[in-house]
Amino acid sequence: MPMREYVAGMRALVGHRMLLLPAVTAVPVDDTGRVLLGLHADTSRWSTIGGAIDPDESPVDAVRREVAEELGVGILTAEILGAYGRPRHRARYPNGDDTSFVTVAYLVTLDRDEFTHPDGEITTTRWVPLDEFESLELYDWIRDMLPDLRARLAR
């Protein structure tokens, strides 16, 4: 069952009250330590690639699916970077729905670097050095990953 069907069913029961949802995000890093970010069509904010985990889907399968949907490429390797959930992982949507995400982040390598953005969620991508993150309009929750990402890249 796709997540949208599951959430629609839950929303019918709880209305706009907060739902806790599992999510994944891919953190592609190139050979120079730059991170691939995507510009979201609906918010004009930069983000890593990811989304909700469907019912009965494993987190690693979800991150592979999200990368294929948003970038049109595959994943060669995926290693857990960390799991994140704090108040800034909450989202209130224009319709009033309140959601809190717990996100498993994966450090990934992609099978190619030519992206098609098949689902239209991402309009463009950019490889960004970590020291440039502060100058971008990012989703706040991404900042929770940065200490773990810096530590991992320093190895």
Side-chain angles (χ1 to χ4, degrees), residues 1-12 19 21 52 55 97 99:
M1 168 189 313
M3 181 56 89
R4 65 187 160 277
E5 292 176 22
Y6 172 77
V7 171
M10 293 302 295
R11 287 287 175 212
L19 285 180
L21 296 176
D97 287 353
T99 306

Side-chain angles (χ1 to χ4, degrees), residues 71-92:
L71 298 177
V73 300
I75 291 177
L76 295 173
T77 64
E79 180 183 346
I80 292 177
L81 176 64
Y84 308 93
R86 297 176 60 168
R88 60 181 163 194
H89 292 254
R90 286 184 81 154
R92 184 175 303 268

